[in-house]
Amino acid sequence: MGLPTLEQMQFQHAAAQLNALHAELIDDDRLEEWPDLFEEKCQYSVISAENHNRSLNLAAVFCDSRGMLVDRIVSLRRANIFPAHSYRHILGPTRVKSTSGQIVTTQTNYVVLMTRNDGQTSIYNSGKYVDQIDVSGAAPRFLSKTAIFDTHLIDTMMVRPI
């Protein structure tokens, strides 16, 4: 395997920055800004590694447009009742898996810590993001973002994005 080209390094940097912003918006509870990271026609899913590896399409969360992402946040703010908690993402390095024109496919390992209002922190979710990112515009945007989680049990209702 040879060294990456300058273009590949630029794609990697753009993807890493987009993932860092994704985590920041969730962790800082700026969820209303989160859908803006996605193209209008997009896909966001959170699926177990077991289902993903078996090509089973049963996801814990599935949205197929930016509008659905907005609806999810509005519902979270207005309708859902859940214990107060906060998230903190820890991201591994983003790796470019492939490119096709201005579409970049990347993989980033993640761990999400959850801190409850009593101060107790635990690992909430861990896995990898597999993303398709459009880098053709003024800012990169997710065409698809799939969180493939290794965690077999989800401690609480999966309310916020991962």
Side-chain angles (χ1 to χ4, degrees):
M1 178 179 250
L3 292 174
T5 66
L6 180 58
E7 182 180 52
Q8 289 170 325
M9 290 173 27
Q10 289 172 328
F11 288 159
Q12 187 274 337
H13 180 74
Q17 290 296 306
L18 184 59
N19 269 308
L21 182 55
H22 163 85
E24 177 183 318
L25 293 177
I26 296 168
D27 294 349
D28 291 350
D29 198 31
R30 294 167 36 209
L31 299 177
E32 287 74 12
E33 298 173 53
W34 175 72
D36 295 336
L37 302 180
F38 293 80
E39 291 289 343
E40 189 62 43
K41 289 186 177 186
C42 64
Q43 181 175 309
Y44 172 74
S45 61
V46 180
I47 188 168
S48 70
E50 181 179 11
N51 284 353
H52 182 265
N53 293 340
R54 292 181 177 176
S55 298
L56 299 174
N57 293 328
L58 182 60
V61 176
F62 180 81
C63 300
D64 64 2
S65 70
R66 188 186 310 156
M68 285 184 76
L69 299 176
V70 170
D71 287 348
R72 183 166 183 81
I73 301 307
V74 169
S75 172
L76 180 152
R77 296 291 194 212
R78 294 186 183 166
N80 291 345
I81 299 172
F82 52 90
H85 64 278
S86 61
Y87 285 165
R88 184 65 55 208
H89 285 70
I90 300 171
L91 303 177
T94 297
R95 191 166 80 79
V96 173
K97 301 283 281 183
S98 66
T99 60
S100 177
Q102 297 294 299
I103 307 301
V104 181
T105 301
T106 65
Q107 179 176 310
T108 307
N109 292 337
Y110 71 86
V111 173
V112 180
L113 303 173
M114 180 175 64
T115 303
R116 296 181 186 270
N117 60 356
D118 65 1
Q120 181 180 354
T121 300
S122 60
I123 295 174
Y124 173 66
N125 197 282
S126 66
K128 66 182 177 183
Y129 295 126
V130 176
D131 302 323
Q132 285 192 317
I133 300 170
D134 184 344
V135 295
S136 66
R141 299 214 188 289
F142 294 114
L143 286 171
S144 71
K145 182 166 199 66
T146 304
I148 303 169
F149 61 90
D150 304 319
T151 314
H152 289 286
L153 295 175
I154 299 172
D155 183 37
T156 187
M157 183 172 66
M158 191 174 284
V159 178
R160 294 177 183 228
I162 295 294

